[in-house]
Amino acid sequence: MAGYEYVSAEQLAGFDKYKYSAVDNNPLSLYVMHPFWNTVVKIFPAWLAPNLITFSGFLLLVFNFFLMAYFDPDFYASAPDQEHVPSGVWILVGLLNFMAYTLDGVDGKQARRTQSSTPLGELFDHGLDSWACMFFVVTVYSTFGRGTNGVSVFVLYLLLWVVLFSFILSHWEKYNTGILFLPWGYDISQVTISFVYIVTAIMGVEVWYSPFLFNFLYRDLFVVMIIGCAILVTIPMSLLNYYKAYKIRTLKHHSFYEAMLPFLSPVLLFILCTTWIFQSPTEILEAHPRLFYFMVGTAFANISCRLIVCQMSSTRCQPLNWLLLPLAAVVLLVMSRALLEHETALLYLVTAFITLAHVHYGVCVVSQLSKHFHIRTFSLRKPSSD
């Protein structure tokens, strides 16, 4: 499974020259979370590999996603007159979400503490983060759901895209400036989400039914916070950072086309998926929202991972992700009404294909880079030289 080499010789040479460069000026991160993480990391034994910490945190988010899928498969559990998710489950989800966030914050510190920092560690961390975006957004949706006091599945679809766009924007910055400006929204959102889970466990989902200001519901605050953070914080700061690099002439790509190339595949993915939603004869998003979100998030993660590889190796971004081709074929079949009765099967099929392709890509890239840097992915022990 891990035999195929996705990383080219040019990219491997680029990884050999790579130097980590990031800026984190978020007050919450600097003055609250980093001191907390500096304390937590001392608990871990010196033999514990940073990548194992990264992967463990990611698996906690995956567990939360599937746990909530069991108790709230169609996002109706938080609606009035429905069987709600048990309080104990909310407590567990809240604790695991904060634990995942903490592990994501200490993995780099563990790497520096054990002097085991490598480009693979950064790629592994950010690659899993690109997939994690979907898991935590869809999981938190269950606090409001799509009942009379919730938001529609299409609104959540758009909010998911706001989060995904915010993620890739930071890596677009690094692709053009060479510096990763860590987004403020991530730390704020993770602390807030964990708090919301615990409040839901203590007060019940009914706490979100009542307006918190005039006729402004908490679901409206949820929507406004996600969109507002993107419009008022994420996008302006990204453009400002890009402009600063332009002014001091440190941009890595000078033509508009080359600079904007990382957005081509994500935009095409959005167009294809949105076209499917509007052209679906069976209202596929209404019928299978969780599966549709999973498909979108997984395809996006593959696009992001390939961008991160190009960004870290200082190579040109691929204009088109090939996983868009089978998705485009499915959308055309849906629009033609040729397989009207099998649209759900098509969704399952393309989701399975994209997931397997993405996992194969991830395993192969990690295996190839581990071999290239002569390290073990999940251990600090050096591999034998045989």
Side-chain angles (χ1 to χ4, degrees):
M1 181 179 182
Y4 189 83
E5 296 186 346
Y6 285 100
V7 185
S8 67
E10 180 188 6
Q11 290 173 331
L12 289 175
F15 272 109
D16 287 334
K17 302 172 186 176
Y18 177 74
K19 299 294 183 183
Y20 179 68
S21 180
V23 174
D24 185 2
N25 52 17
N26 180 1
L28 173 62
S29 176
L30 291 176
Y31 301 113
V32 179
M33 299 315 303
H34 275 294
F36 172 67
W37 294 332
N38 288 334
T39 301
V40 171
V41 74
K42 296 174 183 177
I43 300 173
F44 296 120
W47 53 261
L48 185 62
N51 288 340
L52 195 57
I53 297 174
T54 304
F55 193 54
S56 298
F58 173 74
L59 289 180
L60 293 180
L61 293 178
V62 175
F63 177 81
N64 275 354
F65 175 85
F66 285 104
L67 179 66
M68 203 55 68
Y70 175 79
F71 286 99
D72 185 22
D74 300 317
F75 304 108
Y76 280 118
S78 292
D81 303 322
Q82 296 288 329
E83 183 179 353
H84 300 325
V85 175
S87 296
V89 173
W90 287 119
I91 292 175
L92 178 62
V93 169
L95 293 175
L96 293 183
N97 187 84
F98 188 77
M99 191 180 300
Y101 170 52
T102 301
L103 293 177
D104 189 43
V106 302
D107 52 4
K109 296 182 182 296
Q110 176 74 352
R112 290 183 286 275
R113 177 176 172 237
T114 57
Q115 298 182 337
S116 58
S117 299
T118 65
L120 173 60
E122 181 182 344
L123 174 62
F124 191 69
D125 184 7
H126 295 160
L128 290 179
D129 285 345
S130 68
W131 206 1
C133 288
M134 177 273 301
F135 288 114
F136 75 74
V137 170
V138 177
T139 301
V140 77
Y141 182 36
S142 287
T143 56
F144 303 96
R146 55 170 169 168
T148 55
N149 296 288
V151 298
S152 71
V153 289
F154 184 69
V155 169
L156 195 279
Y157 167 77
L158 296 178
L159 294 178
L160 173 61
W161 267 108
V162 171
V163 173
L164 298 181
F165 175 76
S166 298
F167 176 88
I168 209 164
L169 195 60
S170 63
H171 290 281
W172 168 80
E173 282 182 73
K174 189 173 183 183
Y175 179 74
N176 283 284
T177 67
I179 301 172
L180 179 64
F181 296 90
L182 299 175
W184 285 28
Y186 174 70
D187 295 286
I188 297 170
S189 66
Q190 290 306 303
V191 173
T192 302
I193 287 172
S194 300
F195 176 74
V196 165
Y197 288 144
I198 300 302
V199 170
T200 304
I202 297 171
M203 307 293 291
V205 293
E206 294 82 3
V207 72
W208 310 119
Y209 292 174
S210 303
F212 78 96
L213 182 66
F214 303 113
N215 291 322
F216 202 65
L217 298 174
Y218 283 100
R219 68 177 183 193
D220 304 318
L221 178 63
F222 172 66
V223 173
V224 169
M225 283 183 63
I226 293 177
I227 298 176
C229 185
I231 294 177
L232 300 177
V233 180
T234 305
I235 295 176
M237 291 185 69
S238 292
L239 295 177
L240 178 61
N241 293 330
Y242 182 88
Y243 177 73
K244 287 179 178 177
Y246 168 77
K247 289 293 288 184
I248 61 176
R249 299 185 177 183
T250 58
L251 287 176
K252 301 174 72 174
H253 307 280
H254 298 286
S255 76
F256 180 79
Y257 175 76
E258 290 296 331
M260 302 302 289
L261 201 55
F263 289 131
L264 181 57
S265 285
V267 168
L268 289 175
L269 176 63
F270 174 77
I271 291 172
L272 286 171
C273 293
T274 306
T275 300
W276 188 350
I277 292 170
F278 282 109
Q279 294 295 319
S280 172
T282 63
E283 297 187 339
I284 196 69
L285 184 62
E286 291 287 336
H288 303 284
R290 191 178 293 273
L291 185 63
F292 199 91
Y293 299 147
F294 183 87
M295 181 270 294
V296 172
T298 305
F300 173 84
N302 191 262
I303 293 170
S304 297
C305 286
R306 292 173 186 269
L307 170 61
I308 295 169
V309 167
C310 295
Q311 161 236 108
M312 292 182 66
S313 61
S314 297
T315 53
R316 187 172 185 264
C317 177
Q318 299 171 330
L320 183 67
N321 186 295
W322 73 271
L323 286 181
L324 297 176
L325 298 178
L327 178 59
V330 169
V331 173
L332 288 174
L333 281 173
V334 170
M335 294 175 65
S336 70
R337 305 294 197 269
L339 298 172
L340 186 62
E341 299 178 358
H342 302 288
E343 186 177 7
T344 298
L346 286 174
L347 176 59
Y348 275 95
L349 186 63
V350 74
T351 301
F353 180 81
I354 289 173
T355 303
L356 290 174
H358 180 54
V359 170
H360 183 265
Y361 175 80
V363 170
C364 288
V365 168
V366 169
S367 176
Q368 187 180 356
L369 288 178
S370 294
K371 188 180 299 182
H372 178 76
F373 289 113
H374 198 64
I375 57 175
R376 296 178 188 268
T377 306
F378 297 117
S379 174
L380 295 180
R381 293 174 55 194
K382 291 290 184 182
S384 61
S385 56
D386 296 339

